[in-house]
Amino acid sequence: MEIDHLGEMKLLDYEPKTEKYLLATEEPREYLEVDWQGKILNHNEFNRDGIDVVGRAVSLGYFNGDVTIFDFQKGYFRFQDSTKIGEITLPYDYDVFLPNPKLGLFESGNKIYYPKPVPNSLMANHAEENMFQLMYDLPIIESQDKTTGDTLSALRLPETSEVFDNQVHGFLMPVYTIDKDKLLLSIGIEPKFYVYNKEEDQFVYSKTVEVTIPDWVGYTPVPMDKPEKFFEEIRKIRPGNLGNIFAVGDYYLVIYHSGISEEELAQLDPSTRYGVGALKKDPYYAAIFDKDFNQLATNVPFPITSNYPMVVNNERELVVSKVAGLSETEDDGIILYKLKLTNE
């Protein structure tokens, strides 16, 4: 499907009730809402000054049908038809070290849930070598009571997680999916995901699922008192990353790219090590699991021109946006692909 709009945007989210697709620029400041016929239903750019100012949108997606952004400093802003209609504020100042690819805001019962950012106060009075352990000890997901405004810990990593080995593992990037009474969580840096069961208003850890990826390029943790060493080493590789998890019918699809080793990265021209160049060398794949978490397949490819998969629609089709720089043909507008999971 082609959208009549000049300039590149990537698909970020889908609103199942109205069947709208949400696309945005790389920094999610300008966005489109479209239907599957390619009709632009809404086109907006957030204001840098004046009314309804958005300083910097870190994440963008749908929440209860509204276009919602996570702002670098001020919490969540909700928009309908380009007009700001409300806010969800956080009762503390926070830092954002990595932009999360998925908004992660959802509602259950009387609570709103979101990925917990790192409070400024936590880092202000601690030496750098302790910063990472403090972050790992934080809840991954926080909740806010809609009546009282109280914030509560909603979900933590299990004590068995490797990040609790008193070493630096870098920054975590939580991406999670709700499937009925389960929450499936990836933290990006490792080829595994965590399963939590929803029990009333709590998420209780159930199990860790290892994802077998034969060519996974992993990072090497370093002692907690040498965080600079971690970043020196990780710059030599493009580490594998495990992200979105989709519930598609009787299956789970786990999205990842497996990374580029130090030897392979050294052979690439510096101008092609990032962005489109990296995607050509290290595209996205899916691992397939059944609902009992048995792995059925790995390295299931997406079209080579696909951007990071973000959407499953009401017809259980994956929908991805096309990266223009990965294609040998030039299009007049933005292209979306529908993909169907089939057995062969």
Side-chain angles (χ1 to χ4, degrees), residues 73-124:
Q73 293 181 316
K74 296 184 178 180
Y76 295 89
F77 300 162
R78 299 172 65 179
F79 291 80
Q80 286 182 0
D81 298 325
S82 303
T83 301
K84 182 179 172 184
I85 61 162
E87 299 182 14
I88 301 169
T89 58
L90 275 60
Y92 52 83
D93 294 329
Y94 53 85
D95 287 312
V96 178
F97 294 97
L98 286 176
N100 198 304
K102 195 171 181 179
L103 184 68
L105 191 67
F106 70 96
E107 189 173 21
S108 180
N110 199 43
K111 294 179 181 176
I112 294 172
Y113 298 81
Y114 49 86
K116 181 176 177 63
V118 179
N120 283 343
S121 60
L122 194 70
M123 300 305 162

Side-chain angles (χ1 to χ4, degrees), residues 200-249:
E200 297 180 349
D201 62 347
Q202 300 292 321
F203 290 95
V204 179
Y205 170 71
S206 171
K207 66 193 314 183
T208 300
V209 180
E210 304 280 345
V211 184
T212 301
I213 305 172
D215 47 357
W216 179 267
V217 178
Y219 67 96
T220 301
V222 303
M224 194 62 72
D225 62 349
K226 297 180 179 179
E228 71 285 348
K229 182 68 173 176
F230 179 86
F231 296 101
E232 289 174 8
E233 294 301 315
I234 206 166
R235 278 194 289 267
K236 299 176 183 177
I237 64 173
R238 174 176 160 90
N241 183 274
L242 192 144
N244 249 324
I245 304 169
F246 296 115
V248 182

Side-chain angles (χ1 to χ4, degrees), residues 12-14 22 58-64 66-71 75-78 88 90 98-108 111-117 139-144 152 154-155 173-178 182-186 203 243-246 308 310:
L12 294 180
D13 210 348
Y14 173 72
L22 178 65
V58 180
S59 301
L60 179 67
Y62 282 118
F63 172 64
N64 289 353
D66 300 330
V67 173
T68 304
I69 66 107
F70 179 51
D71 184 77
Y76 295 89
F77 300 162
R78 299 172 65 179
I88 301 169
L90 275 60
L98 286 176
N100 198 304
K102 195 171 181 179
L103 184 68
L105 191 67
F106 70 96
E107 189 173 21
S108 180
K111 294 179 181 176
I112 294 172
Y113 298 81
Y114 49 86
K116 181 176 177 63
I140 289 289
I141 300 175
E142 183 172 79
S143 68
Q144 188 172 123
L152 305 166
L155 184 150
M173 189 181 293
V175 176
Y176 48 84
T177 292
I178 306 292
K182 289 183 171 58
L183 184 147
L184 313 179
L185 166 72
S186 159
F203 290 95
N244 249 324
I245 304 169
F246 296 115
Y308 181 58
M310 296 288 289

Side-chain angles (χ1 to χ4, degrees), residues 9-13 21-23 308 310-311 319-321 336:
M9 291 191 178
K10 59 183 178 180
L11 179 63
L12 294 180
D13 210 348
Y21 295 86
L22 178 65
L23 302 97
Y308 181 58
M310 296 288 289
V311 163
V319 184
V320 296
S321 48
L336 300 185

